[in-house]
Amino acid sequence: RSLCDWSSDVCSSDLAGGDDVTLSRLTLTGGQYGVYASSSADSDRLRIENCVVTSNYSGNVFLASSNDQSAIVQTKISRSYYGIYTGGSNTSVVGCEIFGNNSWSVFMSAAGGLVQDNQVYNNSHGMSVGGNGTQVTGNLVHHNTYYEIGRAHV
């Protein structure tokens, strides 16, 4: 479901049990989160493609555990606290441009993830990835303040 509450300047996508949802060719900005799915949402197979997710207060894309098999593809993620935080298994972040975030650009903690062919730069922290079977390949990661690529410890 899409939430836009202009009286409080909150605009985002809050997923609550919605499986097989695709967000495509959207700009999500100015909310607490751009896309949010709590650990109780259990929204599987979310796809975010060709979007711009920027300038959300707490995080641009926040997908807690139970939100599995998500794909974030060809999307610009910028200017928030978190760029992408994901705790669901088998999540993919492919072909994205992730920059200007005040903390993690990508934080992926669950198993079976794929982080491929992204440009990650000018964030406080580069990418932190973990989980058995997670693959990190073909990324251009540079000019992040603290480190470029690290292992997520959860």
Side-chain angles (χ1 to χ4, degrees), residues 4-108:
C4 288
D5 178 357
W6 298 110
S7 65
S8 64
D9 293 326
V10 175
C11 184
S12 67
S13 296
D14 181 4
L15 302 170
D19 289 341
D20 303 302
V21 172
T22 297
L23 303 174
S24 181
R25 301 186 196 297
L26 298 173
T27 297
L28 301 167
T29 187
Q32 186 74 21
Y33 292 93
V35 177
Y36 180 83
S38 71
S39 59
S40 63
D42 194 21
S43 293
D44 298 331
R45 296 172 303 281
L46 166 67
R47 184 172 178 88
I48 302 169
E49 62 183 21
N50 298 306
C51 289
V52 175
V53 188
T54 186
S55 303
N56 295 286
Y57 182 74
S58 292
N60 282 317
V61 177
F62 185 92
L63 306 174
S65 63
S66 86
N67 302 288
D68 301 320
Q69 300 173 330
S70 297
I72 305 164
V73 180
Q74 298 293 320
T75 292
K76 288 188 179 183
I77 308 280
S78 67
R79 298 182 181 91
S80 185
Y81 186 69
Y82 279 105
I84 299 170
Y85 176 97
T86 179
S89 63
N90 301 305
T91 296
S92 299
V93 179
V94 178
C96 295
E97 183 179 5
I98 306 163
F99 62 95
N101 296 289
N102 293 328
S103 185
W104 306 104
S105 61
V106 176
F107 186 93
M108 180 182 290

Side-chain angles (χ1 to χ4, degrees), residues 85-149:
Y85 176 97
T86 179
S89 63
N90 301 305
T91 296
S92 299
V93 179
V94 178
C96 295
E97 183 179 5
I98 306 163
F99 62 95
N101 296 289
N102 293 328
S103 185
W104 306 104
S105 61
V106 176
F107 186 93
M108 180 182 290
S109 59
L114 173 65
V115 183
Q116 180 178 354
D117 298 333
N118 300 289
Q119 295 182 50
V120 179
Y121 60 94
N122 292 343
N123 300 284
S124 176
H125 295 79
M127 300 188 306
S128 183
V129 294
N132 291 334
T134 296
Q135 298 178 36
V136 179
T137 182
N139 299 286
L140 180 58
V141 183
H142 60 93
H143 292 95
N144 296 291
T145 304
Y146 292 107
Y147 58 82
E148 305 304 339
I149 301 174

